[in-house]
mmCIF file of all heavy atoms in Angstrom:
data_model
loop_
_atom_site.group_PDB
_atom_site.id
_atom_site.type_symbol
_atom_site.label_atom_id
_atom_site.label_comp_id
_atom_site.label_asym_id
_atom_site.label_seq_id
_atom_site.Cartn_x
_atom_site.Cartn_y
_atom_site.Cartn_z
ATOM 1 N N LEU A 1078 -13.297 11.130 1.368
ATOM 2 C CA LEU A 1078 -13.300 10.177 2.486
ATOM 3 C C LEU A 1078 -14.063 10.650 3.654
ATOM 4 O O LEU A 1078 -14.753 9.922 4.300
ATOM 5 C CB LEU A 1078 -11.825 9.850 2.760
ATOM 6 C CG LEU A 1078 -11.093 9.012 1.686
ATOM 7 C CD1 LEU A 1078 -9.558 9.042 1.987
ATOM 8 C CD2 LEU A 1078 -11.596 7.561 1.786
ATOM 9 N N LEU A 1103 -11.216 3.811 12.940
ATOM 10 C CA LEU A 1103 -11.068 3.709 11.480
ATOM 11 C C LEU A 1103 -10.981 5.104 10.827
ATOM 12 O O LEU A 1103 -10.060 5.364 9.938
ATOM 13 C CB LEU A 1103 -12.301 2.995 10.854
ATOM 14 C CG LEU A 1103 -12.348 2.923 9.289
ATOM 15 C CD1 LEU A 1103 -11.055 2.253 8.735
ATOM 16 C CD2 LEU A 1103 -13.559 2.179 8.781
ATOM 17 N N PHE A 1106 -7.607 6.498 11.437
ATOM 18 C CA PHE A 1106 -6.592 5.855 10.671
ATOM 19 C C PHE A 1106 -6.561 6.317 9.218
ATOM 20 O O PHE A 1106 -5.532 6.692 8.636
ATOM 21 C CB PHE A 1106 -6.768 4.282 10.716
ATOM 22 C CG PHE A 1106 -5.649 3.482 10.100
ATOM 23 C CD1 PHE A 1106 -4.705 3.014 10.946
ATOM 24 C CD2 PHE A 1106 -5.634 3.240 8.769
ATOM 25 C CE1 PHE A 1106 -3.562 2.287 10.425
ATOM 26 C CE2 PHE A 1106 -4.594 2.490 8.197
ATOM 27 C CZ PHE A 1106 -3.585 2.033 9.092
ATOM 28 N N VAL A 1107 -7.740 6.374 8.659
ATOM 29 C CA VAL A 1107 -7.906 6.751 7.266
ATOM 30 C C VAL A 1107 -7.567 8.182 6.985
ATOM 31 O O VAL A 1107 -6.831 8.551 6.016
ATOM 32 C CB VAL A 1107 -9.338 6.494 6.816
ATOM 33 C CG1 VAL A 1107 -9.542 7.049 5.320
ATOM 34 C CG2 VAL A 1107 -9.612 4.964 6.736
ATOM 35 N N ARG A 1115 -2.670 5.242 -4.386
ATOM 36 C CA ARG A 1115 -3.692 4.470 -5.130
ATOM 37 C C ARG A 1115 -4.719 5.296 -5.781
ATOM 38 O O ARG A 1115 -5.046 5.154 -6.990
ATOM 39 C CB ARG A 1115 -4.215 3.406 -4.290
ATOM 40 C CG ARG A 1115 -3.181 2.289 -3.873
ATOM 41 C CD ARG A 1115 -3.529 1.515 -2.632
ATOM 42 N NE ARG A 1115 -2.282 0.751 -2.210
ATOM 43 C CZ ARG A 1115 -1.270 1.273 -1.556
ATOM 44 N NH1 ARG A 1115 -1.287 2.469 -1.133
ATOM 45 N NH2 ARG A 1115 -0.191 0.483 -1.295
ATOM 46 N N ALA A 1141 -15.117 7.100 -6.337
ATOM 47 C CA ALA A 1141 -14.710 5.740 -6.646
ATOM 48 C C ALA A 1141 -13.296 5.509 -6.429
ATOM 49 O O ALA A 1141 -12.837 4.540 -5.829
ATOM 50 C CB ALA A 1141 -15.020 5.459 -8.128
ATOM 51 N N VAL A 1142 -12.371 6.487 -6.863
ATOM 52 C CA VAL A 1142 -10.943 6.241 -6.628
ATOM 53 C C VAL A 1142 -10.563 6.448 -5.198
ATOM 54 O O VAL A 1142 -9.659 5.827 -4.576
ATOM 55 C CB VAL A 1142 -10.075 7.179 -7.571
ATOM 56 C CG1 VAL A 1142 -10.440 6.966 -9.041
ATOM 57 C CG2 VAL A 1142 -10.259 8.620 -7.170
ATOM 58 N N ALA A 1143 -11.303 7.327 -4.435
ATOM 59 C CA ALA A 1143 -10.979 7.579 -3.004
ATOM 60 C C ALA A 1143 -11.339 6.350 -2.184
ATOM 61 O O ALA A 1143 -10.683 6.004 -1.157
ATOM 62 C CB ALA A 1143 -11.706 8.689 -2.446
ATOM 63 N N SER A 1144 -12.251 5.461 -2.692
ATOM 64 C CA SER A 1144 -12.538 4.270 -1.974
ATOM 65 C C SER A 1144 -11.363 3.297 -1.822
ATOM 66 O O SER A 1144 -11.372 2.448 -0.912
ATOM 67 C CB SER A 1144 -13.753 3.582 -2.571
ATOM 68 O OG SER A 1144 -13.418 3.060 -3.824
ATOM 69 N N LEU A 1145 -10.398 3.438 -2.684
ATOM 70 C CA LEU A 1145 -9.196 2.570 -2.597
ATOM 71 C C LEU A 1145 -8.514 2.770 -1.265
ATOM 72 O O LEU A 1145 -7.791 1.828 -0.810
ATOM 73 C CB LEU A 1145 -8.276 2.899 -3.714
ATOM 74 C CG LEU A 1145 -8.764 2.616 -5.174
ATOM 75 C CD1 LEU A 1145 -7.751 3.174 -6.227
ATOM 76 C CD2 LEU A 1145 -9.051 1.164 -5.390
ATOM 77 N N GLU A 1146 -8.594 3.975 -0.650
ATOM 78 C CA GLU A 1146 -8.016 4.308 0.589
ATOM 79 C C GLU A 1146 -8.632 3.359 1.756
ATOM 80 O O GLU A 1146 -7.924 3.083 2.733
ATOM 81 C CB GLU A 1146 -8.008 5.660 0.946
ATOM 82 C CG GLU A 1146 -7.061 6.555 0.192
ATOM 83 C CD GLU A 1146 -5.600 6.163 0.408
ATOM 84 O OE1 GLU A 1146 -5.157 6.311 1.581
ATOM 85 O OE2 GLU A 1146 -5.001 5.728 -0.519
ATOM 86 N N LEU A 1147 -9.840 2.943 1.606
ATOM 87 C CA LEU A 1147 -10.489 2.035 2.582
ATOM 88 C C LEU A 1147 -9.937 0.689 2.443
ATOM 89 O O LEU A 1147 -9.718 0.017 3.532
ATOM 90 C CB LEU A 1147 -11.932 2.127 2.471
ATOM 91 C CG LEU A 1147 -12.584 3.498 2.954
ATOM 92 C CD1 LEU A 1147 -14.040 3.550 2.687
ATOM 93 C CD2 LEU A 1147 -12.334 3.709 4.425
ATOM 94 N N ILE A 1148 -9.653 0.244 1.209
ATOM 95 C CA ILE A 1148 -9.018 -1.062 1.080
ATOM 96 C C ILE A 1148 -7.673 -1.122 1.611
ATOM 97 O O ILE A 1148 -7.207 -1.971 2.347
ATOM 98 C CB ILE A 1148 -8.956 -1.533 -0.365
ATOM 99 C CG1 ILE A 1148 -10.403 -1.759 -0.927
ATOM 100 C CG2 ILE A 1148 -8.131 -2.742 -0.583
ATOM 101 C CD1 ILE A 1148 -10.498 -2.294 -2.325
ATOM 102 N N GLN A 1149 -6.905 0.094 1.440
ATOM 103 C CA GLN A 1149 -5.587 0.230 2.000
ATOM 104 C C GLN A 1149 -5.603 0.210 3.497
ATOM 105 O O GLN A 1149 -4.760 -0.365 4.197
ATOM 106 C CB GLN A 1149 -4.973 1.570 1.488
ATOM 107 C CG GLN A 1149 -3.672 2.060 2.131
ATOM 108 C CD GLN A 1149 -2.492 1.156 1.736
ATOM 109 O OE1 GLN A 1149 -2.605 0.093 1.288
ATOM 110 N NE2 GLN A 1149 -1.307 1.651 2.060
ATOM 111 N N ALA A 1150 -6.666 0.943 4.103
ATOM 112 C CA ALA A 1150 -6.832 0.832 5.525
ATOM 113 C C ALA A 1150 -7.025 -0.553 6.014
ATOM 114 O O ALA A 1150 -6.391 -0.961 7.033
ATOM 115 C CB ALA A 1150 -7.914 1.696 6.008
ATOM 116 N N CYS A 1151 -7.827 -1.355 5.435
ATOM 117 C CA CYS A 1151 -8.014 -2.731 5.741
ATOM 118 C C CYS A 1151 -6.709 -3.501 5.753
ATOM 119 O O CYS A 1151 -6.266 -4.174 6.706
ATOM 120 C CB CYS A 1151 -8.994 -3.385 4.878
ATOM 121 S SG CYS A 1151 -9.123 -5.180 5.069
ATOM 122 N N ALA A 1152 -6.030 -3.285 4.569
ATOM 123 C CA ALA A 1152 -4.777 -4.073 4.507
ATOM 124 C C ALA A 1152 -3.707 -3.722 5.519
ATOM 125 O O ALA A 1152 -2.966 -4.528 6.039
ATOM 126 C CB ALA A 1152 -4.143 -3.784 3.023
ATOM 127 N N LEU A 1153 -3.511 -2.390 5.813
ATOM 128 C CA LEU A 1153 -2.562 -1.933 6.791
ATOM 129 C C LEU A 1153 -2.932 -2.327 8.222
ATOM 130 O O LEU A 1153 -2.055 -2.739 8.929
ATOM 131 C CB LEU A 1153 -2.375 -0.410 6.638
ATOM 132 C CG LEU A 1153 -1.675 0.106 5.414
ATOM 133 C CD1 LEU A 1153 -1.542 1.591 5.449
ATOM 134 C CD2 LEU A 1153 -0.326 -0.556 5.138
ATOM 135 N N ILE A 1154 -4.185 -2.209 8.610
ATOM 136 C CA ILE A 1154 -4.609 -2.472 9.934
ATOM 137 C C ILE A 1154 -4.392 -4.003 10.188
ATOM 138 O O ILE A 1154 -3.851 -4.418 11.231
ATOM 139 C CB ILE A 1154 -6.129 -2.136 10.096
ATOM 140 C CG1 ILE A 1154 -6.232 -0.649 10.214
ATOM 141 C CG2 ILE A 1154 -6.634 -2.762 11.472
ATOM 142 C CD1 ILE A 1154 -7.703 -0.191 10.073
ATOM 143 N N HIS A 1155 -4.714 -4.903 9.205
ATOM 144 C CA HIS A 1155 -4.534 -6.284 9.329
ATOM 145 C C HIS A 1155 -3.016 -6.649 9.260
ATOM 146 O O HIS A 1155 -2.525 -7.585 9.968
ATOM 147 C CB HIS A 1155 -5.302 -7.100 8.318
ATOM 148 C CG HIS A 1155 -6.736 -7.129 8.631
ATOM 149 N ND1 HIS A 1155 -7.737 -7.582 7.672
ATOM 150 C CD2 HIS A 1155 -7.481 -6.721 9.714
ATOM 151 C CE1 HIS A 1155 -8.847 -7.560 8.184
ATOM 152 N NE2 HIS A 1155 -8.835 -7.007 9.399
ATOM 153 N N GLY A 1200 -10.637 -3.569 10.614
ATOM 154 C CA GLY A 1200 -10.184 -3.755 9.183
ATOM 155 C C GLY A 1200 -11.263 -4.274 8.281
ATOM 156 O O GLY A 1200 -11.365 -3.909 7.090
ATOM 157 N N ASP A 1201 -12.060 -5.211 8.839
ATOM 158 C CA ASP A 1201 -13.168 -5.752 8.071
ATOM 159 C C ASP A 1201 -14.173 -4.644 7.704
ATOM 160 O O ASP A 1201 -14.759 -4.604 6.638
ATOM 161 C CB ASP A 1201 -13.955 -6.823 8.827
ATOM 162 C CG ASP A 1201 -13.147 -8.251 9.003
ATOM 163 O OD1 ASP A 1201 -12.110 -8.266 8.278
ATOM 164 O OD2 ASP A 1201 -13.549 -9.031 9.753
ATOM 165 N N LEU A 1202 -14.386 -3.768 8.684
ATOM 166 C CA LEU A 1202 -15.358 -2.622 8.411
ATOM 167 C C LEU A 1202 -14.773 -1.781 7.261
ATOM 168 O O LEU A 1202 -15.513 -1.263 6.412
ATOM 169 C CB LEU A 1202 -15.463 -1.833 9.667
ATOM 170 C CG LEU A 1202 -16.452 -0.630 9.582
ATOM 171 C CD1 LEU A 1202 -17.865 -1.050 9.289
ATOM 172 C CD2 LEU A 1202 -16.337 0.275 10.870
ATOM 173 N N ALA A 1203 -13.514 -1.559 7.255
ATOM 174 C CA ALA A 1203 -12.889 -0.764 6.169
ATOM 175 C C ALA A 1203 -13.130 -1.431 4.831
ATOM 176 O O ALA A 1203 -13.481 -0.755 3.826
ATOM 177 C CB ALA A 1203 -11.399 -0.532 6.386
ATOM 178 N N LEU A 1204 -13.003 -2.737 4.757
ATOM 179 C CA LEU A 1204 -13.183 -3.410 3.501
ATOM 180 C C LEU A 1204 -14.615 -3.346 3.051
ATOM 181 O O LEU A 1204 -14.988 -3.068 1.877
ATOM 182 C CB LEU A 1204 -12.742 -4.873 3.634
ATOM 183 C CG LEU A 1204 -12.720 -5.721 2.352
ATOM 184 C CD1 LEU A 1204 -11.914 -5.096 1.282
ATOM 185 C CD2 LEU A 1204 -12.331 -7.145 2.630
ATOM 186 N N ALA A 1205 -15.560 -3.573 4.000
ATOM 187 C CA ALA A 1205 -17.024 -3.469 3.671
ATOM 188 C C ALA A 1205 -17.424 -2.081 3.184
ATOM 189 O O ALA A 1205 -18.128 -1.940 2.267
ATOM 190 C CB ALA A 1205 -17.820 -3.829 4.947
ATOM 191 N N TRP A 1206 -16.838 -1.063 3.908
ATOM 192 C CA TRP A 1206 -17.266 0.234 3.543
ATOM 193 C C TRP A 1206 -16.542 0.697 2.221
ATOM 194 O O TRP A 1206 -17.011 1.541 1.473
ATOM 195 C CB TRP A 1206 -16.884 1.277 4.612
ATOM 196 C CG TRP A 1206 -17.943 1.274 5.750
ATOM 197 C CD1 TRP A 1206 -19.066 0.504 5.753
ATOM 198 C CD2 TRP A 1206 -17.969 2.152 6.946
ATOM 199 N NE1 TRP A 1206 -19.795 0.850 6.865
ATOM 200 C CE2 TRP A 1206 -19.113 1.779 7.605
ATOM 201 C CE3 TRP A 1206 -17.090 3.105 7.433
ATOM 202 C CZ2 TRP A 1206 -19.453 2.391 8.802
ATOM 203 C CZ3 TRP A 1206 -17.392 3.698 8.555
ATOM 204 C CH2 TRP A 1206 -18.546 3.409 9.291
ATOM 205 N N ALA A 1207 -15.375 0.078 1.857
ATOM 206 C CA ALA A 1207 -14.751 0.375 0.572
ATOM 207 C C ALA A 1207 -15.719 -0.068 -0.545
ATOM 208 O O ALA A 1207 -15.909 0.641 -1.482
ATOM 209 C CB ALA A 1207 -13.421 -0.399 0.483
ATOM 210 N N ASP A 1208 -16.314 -1.244 -0.384
ATOM 211 C CA ASP A 1208 -17.259 -1.692 -1.407
ATOM 212 C C ASP A 1208 -18.513 -0.786 -1.531
ATOM 213 O O ASP A 1208 -18.966 -0.470 -2.590
ATOM 214 C CB ASP A 1208 -17.853 -3.120 -1.051
ATOM 215 C CG ASP A 1208 -16.893 -4.157 -1.494
ATOM 216 O OD1 ASP A 1208 -15.977 -3.905 -2.371
ATOM 217 O OD2 ASP A 1208 -16.902 -5.294 -0.962
ATOM 218 N N ASP A 1209 -18.940 -0.294 -0.348
ATOM 219 C CA ASP A 1209 -20.096 0.620 -0.332
ATOM 220 C C ASP A 1209 -19.728 1.950 -0.985
ATOM 221 O O ASP A 1209 -20.486 2.444 -1.806
ATOM 222 C CB ASP A 1209 -20.575 0.921 1.117
ATOM 223 C CG ASP A 1209 -21.270 -0.336 1.725
ATOM 224 O OD1 ASP A 1209 -21.500 -1.281 0.995
ATOM 225 O OD2 ASP A 1209 -21.347 -0.305 2.973
ATOM 226 N N MET A 1210 -18.563 2.487 -0.721
ATOM 227 C CA MET A 1210 -18.164 3.805 -1.217
ATOM 228 C C MET A 1210 -18.059 3.697 -2.818
ATOM 229 O O MET A 1210 -18.413 4.590 -3.470
ATOM 230 C CB MET A 1210 -16.875 4.255 -0.597
ATOM 231 C CG MET A 1210 -16.478 5.674 -0.919
ATOM 232 S SD MET A 1210 -15.015 6.176 0.029
ATOM 233 C CE MET A 1210 -14.904 7.959 -0.530
ATOM 234 N N PHE A 1211 -17.434 2.611 -3.236
ATOM 235 C CA PHE A 1211 -17.278 2.350 -4.681
ATOM 236 C C PHE A 1211 -18.637 2.266 -5.393
ATOM 237 O O PHE A 1211 -18.949 2.903 -6.316
ATOM 238 C CB PHE A 1211 -16.360 1.203 -4.911
ATOM 239 C CG PHE A 1211 -16.209 0.933 -6.425
ATOM 240 C CD1 PHE A 1211 -15.325 1.597 -7.248
ATOM 241 C CD2 PHE A 1211 -16.980 -0.090 -7.014
ATOM 242 C CE1 PHE A 1211 -15.185 1.318 -8.544
ATOM 243 C CE2 PHE A 1211 -16.816 -0.404 -8.328
ATOM 244 C CZ PHE A 1211 -15.943 0.310 -9.098
ATOM 245 N N ALA A 1227 -11.638 -4.705 -12.515
ATOM 246 C CA ALA A 1227 -10.369 -4.227 -11.819
ATOM 247 C C ALA A 1227 -10.559 -4.220 -10.345
ATOM 248 O O ALA A 1227 -9.638 -4.615 -9.649
ATOM 249 C CB ALA A 1227 -9.991 -2.828 -12.369
ATOM 250 N N TRP A 1228 -11.713 -3.824 -9.879
ATOM 251 C CA TRP A 1228 -12.036 -3.756 -8.429
ATOM 252 C C TRP A 1228 -11.969 -5.146 -7.832
ATOM 253 O O TRP A 1228 -11.329 -5.327 -6.816
ATOM 254 C CB TRP A 1228 -13.341 -3.099 -8.221
ATOM 255 C CG TRP A 1228 -13.811 -2.975 -6.784
ATOM 256 C CD1 TRP A 1228 -14.628 -3.816 -6.099
ATOM 257 C CD2 TRP A 1228 -13.472 -1.995 -5.911
ATOM 258 N NE1 TRP A 1228 -14.806 -3.399 -4.827
ATOM 259 C CE2 TRP A 1228 -14.085 -2.218 -4.680
ATOM 260 C CE3 TRP A 1228 -12.654 -0.786 -5.994
ATOM 261 C CZ2 TRP A 1228 -13.983 -1.391 -3.559
ATOM 262 C CZ3 TRP A 1228 -12.596 0.039 -4.901
ATOM 263 C CH2 TRP A 1228 -13.226 -0.276 -3.694
ATOM 264 N N ARG A 1229 -12.633 -6.134 -8.410
ATOM 265 C CA ARG A 1229 -12.659 -7.437 -7.958
ATOM 266 C C ARG A 1229 -11.264 -8.075 -7.872
ATOM 267 O O ARG A 1229 -10.880 -8.736 -6.967
ATOM 268 C CB ARG A 1229 -13.644 -8.265 -8.752
ATOM 269 C CG ARG A 1229 -15.056 -7.877 -8.478
ATOM 270 C CD ARG A 1229 -15.957 -8.575 -9.517
ATOM 271 N NE ARG A 1229 -17.413 -8.234 -9.312
ATOM 272 C CZ ARG A 1229 -18.251 -8.167 -10.305
ATOM 273 N NH1 ARG A 1229 -17.947 -8.470 -11.532
ATOM 274 N NH2 ARG A 1229 -19.527 -7.830 -9.952
ATOM 275 N N ALA A 1230 -10.553 -7.893 -9.063
ATOM 276 C CA ALA A 1230 -9.231 -8.482 -9.126
ATOM 277 C C ALA A 1230 -8.298 -7.856 -8.029
ATOM 278 O O ALA A 1230 -7.498 -8.608 -7.421
ATOM 279 C CB ALA A 1230 -8.617 -8.243 -10.526
ATOM 280 N N MET A 1231 -8.413 -6.542 -7.847
ATOM 281 C CA MET A 1231 -7.514 -5.953 -6.842
ATOM 282 C C MET A 1231 -7.781 -6.494 -5.425
ATOM 283 O O MET A 1231 -6.849 -6.804 -4.688
ATOM 284 C CB MET A 1231 -7.731 -4.404 -6.852
ATOM 285 C CG MET A 1231 -6.956 -3.676 -5.788
ATOM 286 S SD MET A 1231 -7.452 -1.936 -5.759
ATOM 287 C CE MET A 1231 -9.232 -2.138 -5.588
ATOM 288 N N ARG A 1232 -9.050 -6.570 -5.024
ATOM 289 C CA ARG A 1232 -9.346 -7.116 -3.682
ATOM 290 C C ARG A 1232 -8.734 -8.506 -3.514
ATOM 291 O O ARG A 1232 -8.157 -8.859 -2.472
ATOM 292 C CB ARG A 1232 -10.907 -7.135 -3.517
ATOM 293 C CG ARG A 1232 -11.508 -5.840 -3.358
ATOM 294 C CD ARG A 1232 -13.003 -5.993 -3.112
ATOM 295 N NE ARG A 1232 -13.582 -6.873 -4.088
ATOM 296 C CZ ARG A 1232 -14.918 -7.207 -4.070
ATOM 297 N NH1 ARG A 1232 -15.687 -6.940 -3.046
ATOM 298 N NH2 ARG A 1232 -15.319 -7.972 -4.992
ATOM 299 N N THR A 1233 -8.874 -9.428 -4.557
ATOM 300 C CA THR A 1233 -8.435 -10.696 -4.369
ATOM 301 C C THR A 1233 -6.925 -10.874 -4.427
ATOM 302 O O THR A 1233 -6.279 -11.523 -3.559
ATOM 303 C CB THR A 1233 -9.003 -11.545 -5.548
ATOM 304 O OG1 THR A 1233 -10.411 -11.613 -5.520
ATOM 305 C CG2 THR A 1233 -8.509 -13.048 -5.474
ATOM 306 N N GLU A 1234 -6.288 -9.949 -5.269
ATOM 307 C CA GLU A 1234 -4.840 -10.015 -5.370
ATOM 308 C C GLU A 1234 -4.188 -9.544 -4.205
ATOM 309 O O GLU A 1234 -3.173 -10.123 -3.788
ATOM 310 C CB GLU A 1234 -4.417 -9.237 -6.612
ATOM 311 C CG GLU A 1234 -4.725 -9.871 -7.922
ATOM 312 C CD GLU A 1234 -4.752 -8.860 -9.127
ATOM 313 O OE1 GLU A 1234 -4.601 -7.696 -8.960
ATOM 314 O OE2 GLU A 1234 -4.809 -9.400 -10.260
ATOM 315 N N VAL A 1235 -4.709 -8.506 -3.501
ATOM 316 C CA VAL A 1235 -3.989 -8.075 -2.290
ATOM 317 C C VAL A 1235 -4.046 -9.085 -1.213
ATOM 318 O O VAL A 1235 -3.110 -9.291 -0.462
ATOM 319 C CB VAL A 1235 -4.484 -6.654 -1.870
ATOM 320 C CG1 VAL A 1235 -5.948 -6.734 -1.327
ATOM 321 C CG2 VAL A 1235 -3.641 -6.054 -0.757
ATOM 322 N N LEU A 1236 -5.188 -9.742 -1.068
ATOM 323 C CA LEU A 1236 -5.335 -10.854 0.005
ATOM 324 C C LEU A 1236 -4.439 -12.017 -0.339
ATOM 325 O O LEU A 1236 -3.802 -12.568 0.556
ATOM 326 C CB LEU A 1236 -6.735 -11.162 0.107
ATOM 327 C CG LEU A 1236 -7.716 -10.095 0.740
ATOM 328 C CD1 LEU A 1236 -9.112 -10.493 0.640
ATOM 329 C CD2 LEU A 1236 -7.303 -9.723 2.041
ATOM 330 N N TYR A 1267 -1.705 -4.264 -6.597
ATOM 331 C CA TYR A 1267 -2.540 -3.521 -5.680
ATOM 332 C C TYR A 1267 -2.298 -2.029 -5.654
ATOM 333 O O TYR A 1267 -3.254 -1.229 -5.547
ATOM 334 C CB TYR A 1267 -2.465 -4.277 -4.326
ATOM 335 C CG TYR A 1267 -2.978 -3.374 -3.184
ATOM 336 C CD1 TYR A 1267 -4.304 -3.022 -3.102
ATOM 337 C CD2 TYR A 1267 -2.094 -3.047 -2.111
ATOM 338 C CE1 TYR A 1267 -4.768 -2.375 -1.997
ATOM 339 C CE2 TYR A 1267 -2.627 -2.388 -1.022
ATOM 340 C CZ TYR A 1267 -3.905 -1.995 -0.978
ATOM 341 O OH TYR A 1267 -4.443 -1.335 0.116
ATOM 342 N N ARG A 1271 -3.746 -2.124 -10.666
ATOM 343 C CA ARG A 1271 -5.237 -2.167 -10.618
ATOM 344 C C ARG A 1271 -5.812 -0.788 -10.402
ATOM 345 O O ARG A 1271 -6.853 -0.453 -11.032
ATOM 346 C CB ARG A 1271 -5.713 -3.148 -9.603
ATOM 347 C CG ARG A 1271 -5.405 -4.636 -9.841
ATOM 348 C CD ARG A 1271 -5.942 -5.091 -11.269
ATOM 349 N NE ARG A 1271 -5.604 -6.537 -11.463
ATOM 350 C CZ ARG A 1271 -5.828 -7.115 -12.691
ATOM 351 N NH1 ARG A 1271 -6.320 -6.423 -13.705
ATOM 352 N NH2 ARG A 1271 -5.527 -8.362 -12.819
ATOM 353 N N LEU A 1275 -8.447 0.412 -12.975
ATOM 354 C CA LEU A 1275 -9.777 0.853 -12.572
ATOM 355 C C LEU A 1275 -10.072 2.290 -13.137
ATOM 356 O O LEU A 1275 -11.133 2.580 -13.645
ATOM 357 C CB LEU A 1275 -9.859 0.950 -10.984
ATOM 358 C CG LEU A 1275 -11.199 1.218 -10.436
ATOM 359 C CD1 LEU A 1275 -11.482 0.401 -9.158
ATOM 360 C CD2 LEU A 1275 -11.211 2.751 -10.038
#
Side-chain angles (χ1 to χ4, degrees):
L1078 286 167
L1103 177 57
F1106 190 92
V1107 171
R1115 291 158 191 83
V1142 303
S1144 67
L1145 296 173
E1146 285 298 296
L1147 290 172
I1148 293 186
Q1149 170 71 343
C1151 169
L1153 292 181
I1154 291 168
H1155 286 172
D1201 288 350
L1202 180 64
L1204 185 58
W1206 280 3
D1208 279 339
D1209 291 346
M1210 189 175 184
F1211 176 78
W1228 179 263
R1229 290 170 179 151
M1231 177 187 54
R1232 289 181 309 174
T1233 302
E1234 286 162 354
V1235 68
L1236 295 174
Y1267 162 61
R1271 293 305 180 188
L1275 184 142

